[in-house]
Amino acid sequence: MSFDASTQTGAPAAATTKMPRESVAVIATLLVATFVVILNETIMNVALPRLMDNLNVSASTIQWLSTGFMLTMAVVIPTTGFVLQRLTTRTVFLLAMGAFCTGTALAALAPGFEVLLLARVIQAVGTATMLPLLMTTILTLVPLERRGLVMGNVTIAISVAPALGPTVSGLILQVLSWRFMFIFVLPIALLALAIGAKYLTNIGEKEVNKLDVFSVVLTMPAFGGVVYGLSRIGGQGDGGSNVPALAALVVGIVCLVAFVLRQLSPQKSGAPLLDLAAFRFRMFTVSTVLMVVAMMALFGSVILLPIYLQQVHHLESVTTGLVLLPGGLAMGLLGPVVGRLYDRIGPLPLTVSGSVLMVLCLWQFSMLAAQTPVWWIVTVYMALSAGLALLFTPAFTSGLNPLPPHLYSHGSAIMSTLQQVAGAAGTALLVSVFALATLASGEEAGIRTAFLVAAVIAVAAVVLSAMMRKEKPRTAE
């Protein structure tokens, strides 16, 4: 991957200046580390049935390996804005990758379910920190005219890695024990840690802020409750009770309101844990809402397509992963291209094209049937991935660009937090729609109805995309 835009004909003169080698090394190290930790996020999905047999636990128990990971992410990410200001870049990286490597090694050696769950929680602590750290570093080191290109490279980590996860784990499980999923990831993670330890330098300046302990306490029921409630409501299509999930969701919403009021209160003790002043910048708000809408449609679709392929087309899990792989690869490969286009023409043509393409593809999926050829599914999913690539890089870049430096870490943390919540919400909504429609009219009707709802949600992205503009960064509020 390259961060040099000098080869682009007609690029602005400022963009032809190469970034310092040290800056490129820092960003490349963080990008590789982020790719590894996000790959790990989806690597477990295909393995859950195997783990149920090997660890002798039920389906409701084994799902905690995914739910526990997601809950930890939801709780830790909101704190990263404060952590990234309080600690040095190098310290945060070593702590995050150290936690991830420790969790991965523990998972590979886990004697039973309880230790494996603990290992996944430790992994999640490291994973939650890496993307905000990467975003904050890019905003600090990369000049405005180069950010689109560099953010395009970030798309490789946030789109290709999740797509590779199920495929990699499916191939491993064909011939090896589930432990090799972690044994495969561990050397790469250790290498990234070693490279970072040797070459990573500190960037920016530390801010000595007092920690608001009450805000930290509120993050657990607030973000954890909302994500857990939404994810479990989405998982109750089997006729189980929704009462615990609804209770968690209500508690989460109440605590989330309290958390927001706490951040806005001038009488609180200490600086905001998650500085919501970022929402004073119009383009940050528009871009964040656009990301939320796109993530709801994306996460729900990523859940629905495997259900359709395995239950209606009766494909094996490995084949399902291979069907979805070209879409993820397309999104990642398009990322740098979209980044270069963003630097030249701005976000508006890209986001409008991407959102329209997303709506059309989801509408096509709303007409799926048992007779739909697999090649057509691959084609439409690749087109959907292309549309999302046209959305994500401009949304990230345009949303974070206008922020002053002291809000970089908080803006990154807010976007990452809301992605988790949006993913859980999209999954909950679309899987619930699928379950209800399936009970009434069968699986094919359930899939079509759920994708139709996703297409309707995606229409909001078209409206938001039309509001996108390229703004210069601020030096003060």
Side-chain angles (χ1 to χ4, degrees):
M1 66 194 67
S2 171
F3 300 109
D4 180 16
S6 60
T7 58
Q8 299 303 303
T9 305
T16 62
T17 304
K18 289 186 177 182
M19 287 173 54
R21 183 177 298 178
E22 295 79 7
S23 297
V24 174
V26 169
I27 293 173
T29 301
L30 293 177
L31 187 58
V32 171
T34 303
F35 181 91
V36 174
V37 299
I38 295 180
L39 172 70
N40 170 80
E41 196 172 347
T42 58
I43 205 169
M44 290 291 293
N45 295 349
V46 175
L48 294 181
R50 170 83 68 88
L51 288 166
M52 285 173 57
D53 294 333
N54 290 357
L55 301 178
N56 195 26
V57 294
S58 65
S60 60
T61 299
I62 205 69
Q63 60 87 22
W64 275 100
L65 293 177
S66 294
T67 303
F69 190 98
M70 185 167 54
L71 285 176
T72 305
M73 292 270 290
V75 171
V76 173
I77 289 176
T79 69
T80 58
F82 176 87
V83 170
L84 289 173
Q85 287 187 333
R86 191 67 183 268
L87 302 177
T88 64
T89 310
R90 179 181 171 84
T91 300
V92 173
F93 174 81
L94 293 178
L95 288 174
M97 284 306 294
F100 180 80
C101 291
T102 300
T104 304
L106 184 61
L109 300 172
F113 172 79
E114 292 78 8
V115 176
L116 183 56
L117 178 59
L118 173 62
R120 288 288 286 171
V121 169
I122 296 172
Q123 280 185 320
V125 171
T127 302
T129 309
M130 285 308 303
L131 189 56
L133 174 60
L134 175 61
M135 293 295 186
T136 303
T137 302
I138 288 172
L139 292 172
T140 305
L141 293 181
V142 182
L144 177 65
E145 65 273 8
R146 301 291 301 280
R147 287 183 187 169
L149 173 60
V150 179
M151 285 291 191
N153 284 282
V154 174
T155 306
I156 297 174
I158 64 176
S159 58
V160 176
L164 281 176
T167 306
V168 169
S169 59
L171 293 173
I172 289 173
L173 292 174
Q174 285 286 92
V175 293
L176 298 169
S177 161
W178 59 267
R179 296 182 188 276
F180 280 86
M181 292 188 302
F182 303 105
I183 294 171
F184 170 79
V185 169
L186 184 58
I188 307 172
L190 288 171
L191 180 61
L193 176 60
I195 293 173
K198 184 173 182 179
Y199 294 108
L200 198 63
T201 56
N202 291 321
I203 58 154
E205 297 181 0
K206 292 192 298 180
E207 295 184 17
V208 182
N209 294 324
K210 184 179 179 182
L211 180 64
D212 182 13
V213 177
F214 186 57
S215 291
V216 176
V217 172
L218 278 175
T219 61
M220 301 176 190
F223 296 99
V226 169
V227 171
Y228 175 76
L230 289 171
S231 65
R232 294 309 297 148
I233 289 172
Q236 292 301 327
D238 55 1
S241 174
N242 272 323
V243 173
L246 289 171
L249 183 59
V250 170
V251 171
I253 291 173
V254 171
C255 292
L256 184 58
V257 171
F259 177 83
V260 170
L261 293 176
R262 178 73 175 178
Q263 307 318 296
L264 298 175
S265 171
Q267 288 81 33
K268 65 180 173 299
S269 173
L273 184 68
L274 197 61
D275 197 337
L276 303 181
F279 284 108
R280 295 176 185 170
F281 299 88
R282 178 177 178 272
M283 200 45 55
F284 176 83
T285 303
V286 171
S287 297
T288 301
V289 177
L290 175 59
M291 288 287 295
V292 166
V293 173
M295 281 291 178
M296 287 183 69
L298 171 62
F299 273 68
S301 301
V302 169
I303 291 292
L304 290 173
L305 273 180
I307 293 175
Y308 163 77
L309 290 169
Q310 293 182 36
Q311 297 187 12
V312 177
H313 264 281
H314 305 292
L315 299 182
E316 294 183 354
S317 57
V318 176
T319 309
T320 299
L322 292 173
V323 168
L324 299 179
L325 181 59
L329 293 176
M331 193 188 304
L333 294 173
L334 281 172
V337 177
V338 174
R340 288 188 174 94
L341 289 172
Y342 174 89
D343 288 333
R344 288 189 180 190
I345 64 177
L348 186 62
L350 301 173
T351 54
V352 171
S353 302
S355 58
V356 170
L357 187 56
M358 177 172 67
V359 171
L360 292 175
C361 290
L362 291 172
W363 175 67
Q364 279 294 308
F365 280 145
S366 72
M367 295 184 285
L368 288 174
Q371 296 77 26
T372 304
V374 172
W375 68 264
W376 177 244
I377 298 168
V378 173
T379 302
V380 175
Y381 186 60
M382 288 182 68
L384 174 62
S385 300
L388 291 168
L390 291 169
L391 280 176
F392 285 149
T393 297
F396 268 123
T397 312
S398 295
L400 296 173
N401 267 351
L403 300 182
H406 75 277
L407 287 178
Y408 285 168
S409 59
H410 290 279
S412 301
I414 290 169
M415 276 195 167
S416 298
T417 300
L418 291 180
Q419 283 183 57
Q420 291 291 316
V421 175
T427 301
L429 174 63
L430 297 184
V431 171
S432 296
V433 169
F434 165 73
L436 291 172
T438 296
L439 287 174
S441 308
E443 286 183 340
E444 283 188 42
I447 288 290
R448 289 195 292 266
T449 304
F451 272 118
L452 183 60
V453 171
V456 172
I457 293 172
V459 171
V462 179
V463 178
L464 291 163
S465 295
M467 302 167 65
M468 296 293 289
R469 299 292 183 271
K470 192 174 185 179
E471 294 185 0
K472 295 181 178 180
R474 313 288 181 88
T475 57
E477 288 184 293

